[in-house]
Short mmCIF file of all heavy atoms in Angstrom, two decimals:
data_model
loop_
_atom_site.label_atom_id
_atom_site.label_comp_id
_atom_site.label_asym_id
_atom_site.label_seq_id
_atom_site.Cartn_x
_atom_site.Cartn_y
_atom_site.Cartn_z
N MET A 1294 -45.85 -16.48 41.59
CA MET A 1294 -44.80 -17.47 41.42
C MET A 1294 -45.42 -18.83 41.75
O MET A 1294 -45.42 -19.28 42.93
CB MET A 1294 -43.67 -17.09 42.38
CG MET A 1294 -42.58 -18.14 42.39
SD MET A 1294 -41.03 -17.64 43.04
CE MET A 1294 -41.40 -17.23 44.67
N ALA A 1295 -45.90 -19.50 40.80
CA ALA A 1295 -46.59 -20.75 41.00
C ALA A 1295 -45.68 -21.86 41.51
O ALA A 1295 -46.02 -22.67 42.31
CB ALA A 1295 -47.26 -21.22 39.69
N GLY A 1296 -44.41 -21.86 41.07
CA GLY A 1296 -43.47 -22.88 41.48
C GLY A 1296 -43.07 -22.78 42.95
O GLY A 1296 -42.48 -23.63 43.50
N GLY A 1297 -43.35 -21.62 43.58
CA GLY A 1297 -42.95 -21.43 44.96
C GLY A 1297 -43.95 -21.96 45.98
O GLY A 1297 -43.65 -22.07 47.14
N ARG A 1298 -45.15 -22.28 45.55
CA ARG A 1298 -46.20 -22.74 46.47
C ARG A 1298 -45.92 -24.08 47.09
O ARG A 1298 -46.10 -24.24 48.28
CB ARG A 1298 -47.56 -22.75 45.83
CG ARG A 1298 -48.12 -21.34 45.68
CD ARG A 1298 -49.46 -21.40 45.06
NE ARG A 1298 -49.14 -21.11 43.62
CZ ARG A 1298 -50.06 -20.98 42.71
NH1 ARG A 1298 -51.28 -21.18 42.98
NH2 ARG A 1298 -49.71 -20.71 41.46
N LEU A 1299 -45.44 -25.01 46.34
CA LEU A 1299 -45.15 -26.35 46.88
C LEU A 1299 -44.01 -26.32 47.91
O LEU A 1299 -44.09 -26.88 48.96
CB LEU A 1299 -44.89 -27.40 45.85
CG LEU A 1299 -44.82 -28.83 46.26
CD1 LEU A 1299 -46.10 -29.26 47.03
CD2 LEU A 1299 -44.59 -29.72 45.08
N PRO A 1300 -42.88 -25.57 47.59
CA PRO A 1300 -41.83 -25.51 48.64
C PRO A 1300 -42.33 -24.86 49.94
O PRO A 1300 -41.92 -25.24 51.04
CB PRO A 1300 -40.79 -24.65 47.98
CG PRO A 1300 -40.93 -24.84 46.54
CD PRO A 1300 -42.43 -25.05 46.35
N VAL A 1301 -43.22 -23.88 49.83
CA VAL A 1301 -43.76 -23.23 51.05
C VAL A 1301 -44.54 -24.30 51.87
O VAL A 1301 -44.39 -24.39 53.07
CB VAL A 1301 -44.68 -22.04 50.70
CG1 VAL A 1301 -45.49 -21.59 51.91
CG2 VAL A 1301 -43.78 -20.88 50.22
N GLY A 1302 -45.34 -25.10 51.15
CA GLY A 1302 -46.11 -26.13 51.81
C GLY A 1302 -45.20 -27.17 52.51
O GLY A 1302 -45.47 -27.60 53.58
N ARG A 1303 -44.12 -27.45 51.88
CA ARG A 1303 -43.19 -28.49 52.46
C ARG A 1303 -42.44 -27.93 53.64
O ARG A 1303 -42.09 -28.69 54.51
CB ARG A 1303 -42.27 -29.04 51.37
CG ARG A 1303 -43.04 -29.99 50.46
CD ARG A 1303 -42.09 -30.90 49.75
NE ARG A 1303 -41.02 -30.20 49.04
CZ ARG A 1303 -40.94 -29.96 47.76
NH1 ARG A 1303 -41.93 -30.36 46.99
NH2 ARG A 1303 -39.92 -29.36 47.23
N ILE A 1304 -42.17 -26.64 53.63
CA ILE A 1304 -41.39 -26.08 54.78
C ILE A 1304 -42.31 -25.86 55.95
O ILE A 1304 -41.96 -26.13 57.03
CB ILE A 1304 -40.75 -24.73 54.35
CG1 ILE A 1304 -39.54 -25.05 53.38
CG2 ILE A 1304 -40.24 -23.97 55.58
CD1 ILE A 1304 -38.93 -23.73 52.86
N TYR A 1305 -43.46 -25.31 55.75
CA TYR A 1305 -44.35 -24.89 56.81
C TYR A 1305 -45.38 -25.89 57.26
O TYR A 1305 -45.99 -25.74 58.31
CB TYR A 1305 -45.05 -23.56 56.47
CG TYR A 1305 -44.13 -22.41 56.37
CD1 TYR A 1305 -43.67 -21.90 55.08
CD2 TYR A 1305 -43.58 -21.79 57.54
CE1 TYR A 1305 -42.83 -20.87 55.01
CE2 TYR A 1305 -42.69 -20.76 57.42
CZ TYR A 1305 -42.32 -20.27 56.11
OH TYR A 1305 -41.45 -19.19 56.06
N LEU A 1306 -45.63 -26.94 56.47
CA LEU A 1306 -46.72 -27.85 56.77
C LEU A 1306 -46.16 -29.29 57.00
O LEU A 1306 -45.26 -29.74 56.27
CB LEU A 1306 -47.74 -27.87 55.62
CG LEU A 1306 -48.44 -26.58 55.30
CD1 LEU A 1306 -49.34 -26.71 54.18
CD2 LEU A 1306 -49.18 -26.03 56.55
N MET A 1307 -46.72 -29.98 57.97
CA MET A 1307 -46.38 -31.38 58.21
C MET A 1307 -47.22 -32.29 57.28
O MET A 1307 -46.79 -33.41 56.96
CB MET A 1307 -46.67 -31.74 59.64
CG MET A 1307 -45.67 -31.16 60.58
SD MET A 1307 -45.86 -31.62 62.28
CE MET A 1307 -46.93 -32.99 62.36
N GLY A 1308 -48.35 -31.86 56.92
CA GLY A 1308 -49.25 -32.65 56.05
C GLY A 1308 -50.10 -31.71 55.20
O GLY A 1308 -50.10 -30.50 55.41
N ASN A 1309 -50.65 -32.24 54.16
CA ASN A 1309 -51.56 -31.48 53.26
C ASN A 1309 -50.85 -30.39 52.53
O ASN A 1309 -51.40 -29.32 52.40
CB ASN A 1309 -52.72 -31.00 54.10
CG ASN A 1309 -53.89 -30.45 53.27
OD1 ASN A 1309 -54.07 -30.82 52.16
ND2 ASN A 1309 -54.62 -29.52 53.89
N PRO A 1310 -49.63 -30.57 51.97
CA PRO A 1310 -48.94 -29.48 51.33
C PRO A 1310 -49.63 -28.96 50.05
O PRO A 1310 -49.41 -27.82 49.65
CB PRO A 1310 -47.57 -30.03 50.98
CG PRO A 1310 -47.76 -31.50 50.91
CD PRO A 1310 -48.88 -31.81 51.92
N LEU A 1311 -50.47 -29.74 49.41
CA LEU A 1311 -51.18 -29.30 48.27
C LEU A 1311 -52.51 -28.70 48.58
O LEU A 1311 -53.27 -28.34 47.69
CB LEU A 1311 -51.35 -30.49 47.25
CG LEU A 1311 -50.06 -31.10 46.74
CD1 LEU A 1311 -50.35 -32.28 45.83
CD2 LEU A 1311 -49.25 -30.05 46.01
N LEU A 1312 -52.84 -28.64 49.84
CA LEU A 1312 -54.06 -28.06 50.34
C LEU A 1312 -55.30 -28.70 49.70
O LEU A 1312 -56.25 -28.03 49.27
CB LEU A 1312 -54.10 -26.53 50.16
CG LEU A 1312 -52.95 -25.79 50.92
CD1 LEU A 1312 -53.02 -24.30 50.56
CD2 LEU A 1312 -53.02 -26.04 52.40
N ARG A 1313 -55.30 -29.97 49.62
CA ARG A 1313 -56.40 -30.75 49.10
C ARG A 1313 -57.57 -30.82 50.06
O ARG A 1313 -58.70 -31.20 49.65
CB ARG A 1313 -55.96 -32.15 48.65
CG ARG A 1313 -55.02 -32.06 47.44
CD ARG A 1313 -54.83 -33.39 46.85
NE ARG A 1313 -54.08 -33.22 45.59
CZ ARG A 1313 -53.17 -34.06 45.17
NH1 ARG A 1313 -52.90 -35.16 45.85
NH2 ARG A 1313 -52.59 -33.83 44.00
N GLU A 1314 -57.34 -30.47 51.29
CA GLU A 1314 -58.39 -30.38 52.29
C GLU A 1314 -58.15 -29.05 53.04
O GLU A 1314 -57.08 -28.48 52.93
CB GLU A 1314 -58.37 -31.55 53.26
CG GLU A 1314 -57.06 -31.73 54.03
CD GLU A 1314 -57.03 -32.98 54.88
OE1 GLU A 1314 -56.78 -34.04 54.34
OE2 GLU A 1314 -57.24 -32.81 56.11
N PRO A 1315 -59.19 -28.59 53.76
CA PRO A 1315 -59.04 -27.31 54.43
C PRO A 1315 -57.86 -27.37 55.45
O PRO A 1315 -57.63 -28.39 56.12
CB PRO A 1315 -60.37 -27.09 55.24
CG PRO A 1315 -61.34 -27.90 54.38
CD PRO A 1315 -60.57 -29.07 53.87
N LEU A 1316 -57.08 -26.31 55.49
CA LEU A 1316 -55.94 -26.21 56.39
C LEU A 1316 -56.36 -26.25 57.85
O LEU A 1316 -57.28 -25.52 58.25
CB LEU A 1316 -55.15 -24.95 56.09
CG LEU A 1316 -53.79 -24.82 56.72
CD1 LEU A 1316 -52.89 -25.97 56.30
CD2 LEU A 1316 -53.15 -23.49 56.30
N ARG A 1317 -55.72 -27.11 58.60
CA ARG A 1317 -56.00 -27.21 60.06
C ARG A 1317 -54.74 -27.03 60.89
O ARG A 1317 -53.62 -27.29 60.34
CB ARG A 1317 -56.61 -28.61 60.36
CG ARG A 1317 -57.97 -28.79 59.71
CD ARG A 1317 -58.66 -30.05 60.24
NE ARG A 1317 -57.82 -31.22 60.33
CZ ARG A 1317 -57.70 -32.16 59.40
NH1 ARG A 1317 -58.41 -32.05 58.24
NH2 ARG A 1317 -56.96 -33.21 59.48
N PRO A 1318 -54.81 -26.62 62.12
CA PRO A 1318 -53.66 -26.39 62.92
C PRO A 1318 -52.66 -27.61 63.01
O PRO A 1318 -51.47 -27.41 63.04
CB PRO A 1318 -54.16 -26.08 64.34
CG PRO A 1318 -55.56 -25.55 64.03
CD PRO A 1318 -56.06 -26.30 62.86
N GLU A 1319 -53.21 -28.81 63.00
CA GLU A 1319 -52.30 -30.00 63.05
C GLU A 1319 -51.51 -30.19 61.77
O GLU A 1319 -50.54 -31.00 61.77
CB GLU A 1319 -53.08 -31.22 63.43
CG GLU A 1319 -54.21 -31.56 62.50
CD GLU A 1319 -55.55 -31.04 62.92
OE1 GLU A 1319 -55.64 -30.13 63.78
OE2 GLU A 1319 -56.57 -31.54 62.38
N HIS A 1320 -51.79 -29.47 60.71
CA HIS A 1320 -51.02 -29.55 59.51
C HIS A 1320 -49.72 -28.71 59.58
O HIS A 1320 -48.77 -28.99 58.86
CB HIS A 1320 -51.80 -29.03 58.28
CG HIS A 1320 -52.91 -29.90 57.92
ND1 HIS A 1320 -54.08 -29.43 57.39
CD2 HIS A 1320 -53.15 -31.25 57.94
CE1 HIS A 1320 -54.94 -30.41 57.14
NE2 HIS A 1320 -54.39 -31.57 57.47
N VAL A 1321 -49.71 -27.75 60.45
CA VAL A 1321 -48.58 -26.79 60.52
C VAL A 1321 -47.44 -27.34 61.38
O VAL A 1321 -47.67 -27.92 62.44
CB VAL A 1321 -49.04 -25.43 61.11
CG1 VAL A 1321 -47.91 -24.43 61.18
CG2 VAL A 1321 -50.19 -24.88 60.24
N GLU A 1322 -46.21 -27.20 60.89
CA GLU A 1322 -45.03 -27.66 61.60
C GLU A 1322 -44.92 -26.94 62.93
O GLU A 1322 -45.08 -25.74 63.01
CB GLU A 1322 -43.78 -27.28 60.76
CG GLU A 1322 -43.53 -28.10 59.56
CD GLU A 1322 -42.76 -29.39 59.82
OE1 GLU A 1322 -42.41 -29.64 60.98
OE2 GLU A 1322 -42.71 -30.17 58.94
N PRO A 1323 -44.64 -27.69 63.99
CA PRO A 1323 -44.43 -27.08 65.30
C PRO A 1323 -43.14 -26.28 65.34
O PRO A 1323 -42.99 -25.33 66.12
CB PRO A 1323 -44.43 -28.21 66.29
CG PRO A 1323 -44.05 -29.38 65.51
CD PRO A 1323 -44.56 -29.14 64.11
N ARG A 1324 -42.16 -26.66 64.56
CA ARG A 1324 -40.87 -26.04 64.55
C ARG A 1324 -40.38 -25.93 63.06
O ARG A 1324 -40.30 -26.95 62.37
CB ARG A 1324 -39.87 -26.85 65.35
CG ARG A 1324 -38.48 -26.26 65.42
CD ARG A 1324 -37.59 -27.09 66.37
NE ARG A 1324 -36.25 -26.90 65.96
CZ ARG A 1324 -35.50 -27.86 65.35
NH1 ARG A 1324 -35.96 -29.07 65.21
NH2 ARG A 1324 -34.28 -27.65 64.99
N LEU A 1325 -40.16 -24.76 62.63
CA LEU A 1325 -39.77 -24.51 61.25
C LEU A 1325 -38.39 -25.05 60.95
O LEU A 1325 -37.44 -24.70 61.65
CB LEU A 1325 -39.85 -22.99 60.91
CG LEU A 1325 -39.39 -22.66 59.52
CD1 LEU A 1325 -40.30 -23.27 58.50
CD2 LEU A 1325 -39.39 -21.14 59.36
N LEU A 1326 -38.29 -25.86 59.91
CA LEU A 1326 -36.97 -26.32 59.42
C LEU A 1326 -36.82 -25.85 57.96
O LEU A 1326 -37.73 -25.99 57.18
CB LEU A 1326 -36.90 -27.85 59.49
CG LEU A 1326 -36.88 -28.47 60.89
CD1 LEU A 1326 -36.95 -29.95 60.76
CD2 LEU A 1326 -35.68 -28.05 61.68
N GLY A 1327 -35.68 -25.38 57.67
CA GLY A 1327 -35.46 -24.92 56.28
C GLY A 1327 -35.54 -23.41 56.24
O GLY A 1327 -35.78 -22.68 57.17
N HIS A 1328 -35.22 -22.92 55.04
CA HIS A 1328 -35.21 -21.43 54.77
C HIS A 1328 -35.82 -21.24 53.44
O HIS A 1328 -35.49 -21.79 52.42
CB HIS A 1328 -33.77 -21.01 54.77
CG HIS A 1328 -33.61 -19.54 54.72
ND1 HIS A 1328 -33.65 -18.87 53.52
CD2 HIS A 1328 -33.46 -18.61 55.68
CE1 HIS A 1328 -33.46 -17.55 53.81
NE2 HIS A 1328 -33.35 -17.37 55.05
N TRP A 1329 -36.82 -20.35 53.38
CA TRP A 1329 -37.56 -20.04 52.16
C TRP A 1329 -36.66 -19.61 51.04
O TRP A 1329 -36.87 -20.01 49.89
CB TRP A 1329 -38.66 -19.03 52.45
CG TRP A 1329 -39.25 -18.50 51.17
CD1 TRP A 1329 -39.11 -17.22 50.77
CD2 TRP A 1329 -39.89 -19.19 50.11
NE1 TRP A 1329 -39.71 -17.09 49.51
CE2 TRP A 1329 -40.23 -18.29 49.11
CE3 TRP A 1329 -40.32 -20.51 49.98
CZ2 TRP A 1329 -40.91 -18.67 47.99
CZ3 TRP A 1329 -40.95 -20.90 48.82
CH2 TRP A 1329 -41.27 -19.92 47.86
N GLY A 1330 -35.69 -18.79 51.31
CA GLY A 1330 -34.88 -18.17 50.24
C GLY A 1330 -34.18 -19.14 49.31
O GLY A 1330 -34.04 -18.92 48.11
N THR A 1331 -33.74 -20.32 49.83
CA THR A 1331 -33.04 -21.27 48.97
C THR A 1331 -33.88 -22.41 48.45
O THR A 1331 -33.52 -23.05 47.46
CB THR A 1331 -31.82 -21.85 49.73
OG1 THR A 1331 -32.28 -22.44 50.90
CG2 THR A 1331 -30.81 -20.74 50.06
N THR A 1332 -34.99 -22.69 49.11
CA THR A 1332 -35.75 -23.87 48.75
C THR A 1332 -36.29 -23.88 47.30
O THR A 1332 -36.14 -24.91 46.63
CB THR A 1332 -36.93 -24.05 49.72
OG1 THR A 1332 -36.36 -24.22 51.05
CG2 THR A 1332 -37.78 -25.25 49.42
N PRO A 1333 -36.86 -22.82 46.78
CA PRO A 1333 -37.35 -22.90 45.38
C PRO A 1333 -36.24 -23.21 44.39
O PRO A 1333 -36.46 -24.00 43.44
CB PRO A 1333 -37.97 -21.50 45.15
CG PRO A 1333 -38.33 -20.98 46.45
CD PRO A 1333 -37.24 -21.54 47.39
N GLY A 1334 -35.12 -22.60 44.54
CA GLY A 1334 -34.00 -22.87 43.62
C GLY A 1334 -33.52 -24.31 43.75
O GLY A 1334 -33.23 -24.99 42.71
N LEU A 1335 -33.41 -24.82 44.99
CA LEU A 1335 -33.01 -26.23 45.15
C LEU A 1335 -34.01 -27.18 44.58
O LEU A 1335 -33.66 -28.19 43.95
CB LEU A 1335 -32.81 -26.51 46.63
CG LEU A 1335 -31.59 -25.87 47.34
CD1 LEU A 1335 -31.61 -26.05 48.78
CD2 LEU A 1335 -30.28 -26.39 46.71
N ASP A 1336 -35.32 -26.87 44.72
CA ASP A 1336 -36.39 -27.74 44.19
C ASP A 1336 -36.34 -27.66 42.67
O ASP A 1336 -36.55 -28.72 41.97
CB ASP A 1336 -37.75 -27.26 44.68
CG ASP A 1336 -38.07 -27.76 46.05
OD1 ASP A 1336 -37.39 -28.67 46.55
OD2 ASP A 1336 -39.07 -27.28 46.61
N PHE A 1337 -36.15 -26.50 42.07
CA PHE A 1337 -36.08 -26.34 40.66
C PHE A 1337 -34.93 -27.23 40.08
O PHE A 1337 -35.11 -27.95 39.13
CB PHE A 1337 -35.80 -24.87 40.29
CG PHE A 1337 -35.71 -24.56 38.85
CD1 PHE A 1337 -36.86 -24.47 38.07
CD2 PHE A 1337 -34.49 -24.38 38.25
CE1 PHE A 1337 -36.74 -24.20 36.69
CE2 PHE A 1337 -34.36 -24.15 36.91
CZ PHE A 1337 -35.53 -24.05 36.13
N LEU A 1338 -33.80 -27.15 40.73
CA LEU A 1338 -32.58 -27.93 40.29
C LEU A 1338 -32.86 -29.40 40.44
O LEU A 1338 -32.60 -30.18 39.53
CB LEU A 1338 -31.40 -27.49 41.13
CG LEU A 1338 -30.00 -27.72 40.52
CD1 LEU A 1338 -29.89 -26.91 39.24
CD2 LEU A 1338 -28.94 -27.29 41.51
N TYR A 1339 -33.46 -29.78 41.56
CA TYR A 1339 -33.75 -31.21 41.78
C TYR A 1339 -34.66 -31.76 40.74
O TYR A 1339 -34.41 -32.83 40.20
CB TYR A 1339 -34.39 -31.36 43.17
CG TYR A 1339 -34.78 -32.72 43.56
CD1 TYR A 1339 -33.83 -33.63 44.08
CD2 TYR A 1339 -36.12 -33.17 43.41
CE1 TYR A 1339 -34.25 -34.89 44.44
CE2 TYR A 1339 -36.48 -34.46 43.78
CZ TYR A 1339 -35.55 -35.27 44.30
OH TYR A 1339 -35.91 -36.58 44.63
N ALA A 1340 -35.75 -31.07 40.41
CA ALA A 1340 -36.70 -31.52 39.40
C ALA A 1340 -36.06 -31.66 38.03
O ALA A 1340 -36.25 -32.65 37.38
CB ALA A 1340 -37.91 -30.61 39.33
N HIS A 1341 -35.29 -30.67 37.62
CA HIS A 1341 -34.75 -30.72 36.28
C HIS A 1341 -33.57 -31.73 36.20
O HIS A 1341 -33.36 -32.36 35.15
CB HIS A 1341 -34.28 -29.33 35.83
CG HIS A 1341 -35.47 -28.50 35.49
ND1 HIS A 1341 -36.22 -28.66 34.35
CD2 HIS A 1341 -36.08 -27.47 36.18
CE1 HIS A 1341 -37.22 -27.81 34.30
NE2 HIS A 1341 -37.17 -27.13 35.44
N LEU A 1342 -32.79 -31.85 37.23
CA LEU A 1342 -31.75 -32.86 37.25
C LEU A 1342 -32.32 -34.29 37.15
O LEU A 1342 -31.80 -35.11 36.41
CB LEU A 1342 -30.84 -32.73 38.51
CG LEU A 1342 -29.84 -31.64 38.43
CD1 LEU A 1342 -29.06 -31.60 39.79
CD2 LEU A 1342 -28.80 -31.83 37.34
N ASN A 1343 -33.39 -34.53 37.89
CA ASN A 1343 -34.10 -35.83 37.78
C ASN A 1343 -34.51 -36.10 36.39
O ASN A 1343 -34.39 -37.19 35.87
CB ASN A 1343 -35.27 -35.90 38.74
CG ASN A 1343 -34.83 -36.27 40.14
OD1 ASN A 1343 -33.81 -36.81 40.34
ND2 ASN A 1343 -35.74 -35.95 41.07
N ARG A 1344 -35.05 -35.10 35.68
CA ARG A 1344 -35.53 -35.27 34.31
C ARG A 1344 -34.36 -35.59 33.38
O ARG A 1344 -34.45 -36.53 32.60
CB ARG A 1344 -36.24 -34.00 33.85
CG ARG A 1344 -36.82 -34.07 32.46
CD ARG A 1344 -37.51 -32.77 32.10
NE ARG A 1344 -36.67 -31.64 32.16
CZ ARG A 1344 -35.77 -31.30 31.21
NH1 ARG A 1344 -35.68 -32.03 30.11
NH2 ARG A 1344 -35.00 -30.21 31.30
N VAL A 1345 -33.23 -34.88 33.53
CA VAL A 1345 -32.08 -35.11 32.68
C VAL A 1345 -31.47 -36.47 32.98
O VAL A 1345 -31.08 -37.19 32.06
CB VAL A 1345 -31.02 -33.98 32.89
CG1 VAL A 1345 -29.73 -34.29 32.21
CG2 VAL A 1345 -31.58 -32.67 32.33
N ILE A 1346 -31.37 -36.84 34.23
CA ILE A 1346 -30.75 -38.12 34.65
C ILE A 1346 -31.59 -39.24 34.03
O ILE A 1346 -31.04 -40.22 33.46
CB ILE A 1346 -30.67 -38.22 36.17
CG1 ILE A 1346 -29.55 -37.28 36.64
CG2 ILE A 1346 -30.42 -39.65 36.58
CD1 ILE A 1346 -29.62 -37.11 38.20
N ALA A 1347 -32.92 -39.17 34.15
CA ALA A 1347 -33.73 -40.24 33.56
C ALA A 1347 -33.70 -40.26 32.03
O ALA A 1347 -33.63 -41.35 31.45
CB ALA A 1347 -35.20 -40.01 34.02
N ALA A 1348 -33.72 -39.11 31.41
CA ALA A 1348 -33.70 -39.02 29.91
C ALA A 1348 -32.43 -39.58 29.36
O ALA A 1348 -32.43 -40.18 28.29
CB ALA A 1348 -33.93 -37.61 29.49
N ARG A 1349 -31.31 -39.39 30.01
CA ARG A 1349 -30.00 -39.74 29.50
C ARG A 1349 -29.40 -40.95 30.17
O ARG A 1349 -28.25 -41.25 29.96
CB ARG A 1349 -29.03 -38.54 29.52
CG ARG A 1349 -29.58 -37.43 28.69
CD ARG A 1349 -28.71 -36.28 28.63
NE ARG A 1349 -29.28 -35.20 27.85
CZ ARG A 1349 -28.78 -34.01 27.69
NH1 ARG A 1349 -27.64 -33.70 28.30
NH2 ARG A 1349 -29.35 -33.12 26.94
N ASP A 1350 -30.13 -41.57 31.11
CA ASP A 1350 -29.65 -42.72 31.87
C ASP A 1350 -28.29 -42.44 32.46
O ASP A 1350 -27.38 -43.24 32.33
CB ASP A 1350 -29.61 -43.94 30.96
CG ASP A 1350 -29.46 -45.22 31.79
OD1 ASP A 1350 -29.98 -45.23 32.93
OD2 ASP A 1350 -28.88 -46.21 31.28
N LEU A 1351 -28.18 -41.32 33.17
CA LEU A 1351 -26.90 -40.88 33.76
C LEU A 1351 -26.76 -41.46 35.20
O LEU A 1351 -27.77 -41.71 35.89
CB LEU A 1351 -26.87 -39.35 33.89
CG LEU A 1351 -26.95 -38.59 32.58
CD1 LEU A 1351 -26.96 -37.06 32.87
CD2 LEU A 1351 -25.75 -38.91 31.70
N ASP A 1352 -25.53 -41.68 35.58
CA ASP A 1352 -25.19 -41.98 36.95
C ASP A 1352 -24.80 -40.68 37.58
O ASP A 1352 -23.73 -40.16 37.29
CB ASP A 1352 -24.06 -43.00 37.06
CG ASP A 1352 -24.48 -44.39 36.59
OD1 ASP A 1352 -25.63 -44.76 36.82
OD2 ASP A 1352 -23.63 -45.10 36.07
N ALA A 1353 -25.68 -40.12 38.41
CA ALA A 1353 -25.38 -38.81 38.99
C ALA A 1353 -25.94 -38.74 40.40
O ALA A 1353 -26.86 -39.53 40.76
CB ALA A 1353 -25.95 -37.72 38.09
N MET A 1354 -25.47 -37.84 41.16
CA MET A 1354 -25.91 -37.63 42.49
C MET A 1354 -26.04 -36.12 42.77
O MET A 1354 -25.14 -35.34 42.41
CB MET A 1354 -24.97 -38.26 43.49
CG MET A 1354 -25.46 -38.26 44.89
SD MET A 1354 -24.53 -39.29 46.03
CE MET A 1354 -22.84 -39.20 45.50
N TYR A 1355 -27.13 -35.71 43.36
CA TYR A 1355 -27.39 -34.28 43.72
C TYR A 1355 -26.98 -34.14 45.19
O TYR A 1355 -27.61 -34.72 46.08
CB TYR A 1355 -28.81 -33.94 43.50
CG TYR A 1355 -29.27 -32.54 43.80
CD1 TYR A 1355 -28.38 -31.48 43.73
CD2 TYR A 1355 -30.57 -32.31 44.15
CE1 TYR A 1355 -28.84 -30.17 43.99
CE2 TYR A 1355 -31.01 -31.00 44.41
CZ TYR A 1355 -30.11 -29.96 44.36
OH TYR A 1355 -30.57 -28.67 44.61
N VAL A 1356 -25.93 -33.43 45.45
CA VAL A 1356 -25.42 -33.24 46.82
C VAL A 1356 -25.75 -31.83 47.30
O VAL A 1356 -25.43 -30.86 46.62
CB VAL A 1356 -23.89 -33.48 46.90
CG1 VAL A 1356 -23.41 -33.29 48.29
CG2 VAL A 1356 -23.53 -34.86 46.40
N MET A 1357 -26.38 -31.79 48.46
CA MET A 1357 -26.69 -30.46 49.06
C MET A 1357 -26.56 -30.57 50.55
O MET A 1357 -26.57 -31.68 51.08
CB MET A 1357 -28.11 -30.01 48.68
CG MET A 1357 -29.18 -30.89 49.27
SD MET A 1357 -30.79 -30.36 48.76
CE MET A 1357 -31.54 -31.97 48.69
N GLY A 1358 -26.35 -29.47 51.14
CA GLY A 1358 -26.19 -29.49 52.61
C GLY A 1358 -27.51 -29.66 53.34
O GLY A 1358 -28.61 -29.46 52.72
N PRO A 1359 -27.49 -29.94 54.66
CA PRO A 1359 -28.70 -30.14 55.40
C PRO A 1359 -29.37 -28.85 55.88
O PRO A 1359 -30.48 -28.91 56.35
CB PRO A 1359 -28.23 -30.93 56.61
CG PRO A 1359 -26.86 -30.45 56.81
CD PRO A 1359 -26.27 -30.21 55.43
N GLY A 1360 -28.70 -27.75 55.75
CA GLY A 1360 -29.27 -26.50 56.34
C GLY A 1360 -30.06 -25.72 55.32
O GLY A 1360 -30.18 -26.02 54.16
N HIS A 1361 -30.57 -24.64 55.75
CA HIS A 1361 -31.34 -23.62 54.96
C HIS A 1361 -32.43 -24.26 54.16
O HIS A 1361 -33.47 -24.60 54.66
CB HIS A 1361 -30.42 -22.73 54.13
CG HIS A 1361 -29.50 -21.95 54.99
ND1 HIS A 1361 -29.98 -20.89 55.77
CD2 HIS A 1361 -28.19 -22.05 55.17
CE1 HIS A 1361 -28.95 -20.38 56.41
NE2 HIS A 1361 -27.85 -21.04 56.11
N GLY A 1362 -32.22 -24.47 52.84
CA GLY A 1362 -33.28 -25.00 51.97
C GLY A 1362 -33.31 -26.50 51.85
O GLY A 1362 -34.20 -27.03 51.25
N GLY A 1363 -32.36 -27.18 52.47
CA GLY A 1363 -32.25 -28.64 52.38
C GLY A 1363 -33.57 -29.41 52.65
O GLY A 1363 -33.86 -30.31 51.92
N PRO A 1364 -34.36 -29.02 53.71
CA PRO A 1364 -35.53 -29.82 53.98
C PRO A 1364 -36.56 -29.83 52.79
O PRO A 1364 -37.34 -30.76 52.68
CB PRO A 1364 -36.14 -29.15 55.19
CG PRO A 1364 -34.96 -28.60 55.90
CD PRO A 1364 -34.03 -28.15 54.78
N GLY A 1365 -36.60 -28.79 51.97
CA GLY A 1365 -37.54 -28.76 50.83
C GLY A 1365 -37.28 -29.95 49.87
O GLY A 1365 -38.16 -30.78 49.63
N PRO A 1366 -36.11 -30.04 49.24
CA PRO A 1366 -35.79 -31.13 48.33
C PRO A 1366 -35.78 -32.48 49.04
O PRO A 1366 -36.15 -33.48 48.47
CB PRO A 1366 -34.44 -30.81 47.73
CG PRO A 1366 -34.37 -29.31 47.85
CD PRO A 1366 -35.08 -29.01 49.14
N VAL A 1367 -35.40 -32.50 50.31
CA VAL A 1367 -35.43 -33.79 51.04
C VAL A 1367 -36.82 -34.28 51.15
O VAL A 1367 -37.09 -35.51 50.98
CB VAL A 1367 -34.75 -33.62 52.46
CG1 VAL A 1367 -35.05 -34.83 53.28
CG2 VAL A 1367 -33.26 -33.41 52.30
N ALA A 1368 -37.79 -33.40 51.34
CA ALA A 1368 -39.18 -33.85 51.37
C ALA A 1368 -39.65 -34.36 50.03
O ALA A 1368 -40.44 -35.30 50.03
CB ALA A 1368 -40.10 -32.64 51.81
N ALA A 1369 -39.14 -33.84 48.97
CA ALA A 1369 -39.52 -34.30 47.61
C ALA A 1369 -38.92 -35.66 47.36
O ALA A 1369 -39.48 -36.49 46.66
CB ALA A 1369 -39.02 -33.30 46.59
N ALA A 1370 -37.76 -35.92 47.91
CA ALA A 1370 -37.06 -37.23 47.73
C ALA A 1370 -37.84 -38.36 48.42
O ALA A 1370 -37.89 -39.43 47.98
CB ALA A 1370 -35.67 -37.16 48.27
#
């Protein structure tokens, strides 16, 4: 599941989510925020809604709660 790697990086890592450098302890979050189960779906929706909004010049807003998968798309924003 290639699309799931970036959400994992955003949930579990404070820095270096694309692993462009070797992973070090200071990259890892001291306290986990978010929930893996919902983050890939929220990220998928966020990415495609942005594409549709830009392509059709829509006035729209993506509303989601702060819990569970929320930190994933918030990091993308």
Side-chain angles (χ1 to χ4, degrees):
M1294 177 162 61
R1298 282 180 264 183
L1299 189 56
V1301 167
R1303 286 201 307 257
I1304 288 176
Y1305 293 102
L1306 300 176
M1307 287 181 16
N1309 192 26
L1311 297 177
L1312 300 176
R1313 291 193 171 142
E1314 60 184 80
L1316 190 59
R1317 295 190 314 265
E1319 57 267 17
H1320 292 146
V1321 180
E1322 288 275 354
R1324 182 173 153 250
L1325 177 63
L1326 295 174
H1328 187 276
W1329 166 246
T1331 56
T1332 300
L1335 290 170
D1336 280 348
F1337 180 80
L1338 205 60
Y1339 178 82
H1341 288 286
L1342 282 174
N1343 275 340
R1344 185 180 57 80
V1345 170
I1346 289 167
R1349 298 183 182 175
D1350 195 30
L1351 300 175
D1352 289 326
M1354 187 169 34
Y1355 180 27
V1356 179
M1357 66 183 145
H1361 297 291
V1367 168

